[in-house]
Amino acid sequence: SLVTGVQTCALPISPGYKSDSDLTKLNKLIKKAEEIEKNKAEYLEATYSAFELALKEAKAIKTEDKQATVDAAYKKLDDAIKNLKKSAD
């Protein structure tokens, strides 16, 4: 029937179907990180380089990546943001 066809199209639930990973949370965090990037000079280089690497990795994530990979990238970037230390000057 037409209804079934539409449902199958919108939400594939066939066995073995791999859904695209959800990057919503990760993309929000990347936006936050890009705001931090604008103020790079405020942070200690040692903490900033880890942040920079985590951000680069996060931006490389695609929807085809496993959700676990997406979540790991999110956690790494989130931790890097939390670990940023402002310069004491």
Side-chain angles (χ1 to χ4, degrees):
S1 79
L2 185 61
V3 174
T4 310
V6 170
Q7 279 178 333
T8 309
C9 188
L11 297 167
I13 48 171
S14 54
Y17 172 79
K18 188 197 163 304
S19 67
D20 283 344
S21 294
D22 183 8
L23 304 189
T24 316
K25 259 175 55 170
L26 183 63
N27 286 333
K28 276 190 187 146
L29 194 63
I30 289 171
K31 286 221 173 5
K32 181 179 167 184
E34 286 171 340
E35 289 302 309
I36 291 170
E37 253 185 331
K38 294 174 188 170
N39 305 311
K40 178 180 179 175
E42 293 179 19
Y43 300 97
L44 289 173
E45 183 57 45
T47 61
Y48 192 85
S49 56
F51 161 78
E52 217 167 19
L53 179 65
L55 178 57
K56 193 174 147 203
E57 287 177 11
K59 285 181 171 181
I61 296 288
K62 297 175 187 61
T63 52
E64 300 85 61
D65 289 325
K66 290 188 176 78
Q67 189 66 49
T69 308
V70 176
D71 294 344
Y74 178 90
K75 184 175 180 349
K76 188 171 182 176
L77 182 54
D78 192 43
D79 287 347
I81 289 171
K82 288 175 184 155
N83 290 332
L84 279 171
K85 303 255 185 301
K86 294 222 174 192
S87 304
D89 55 0

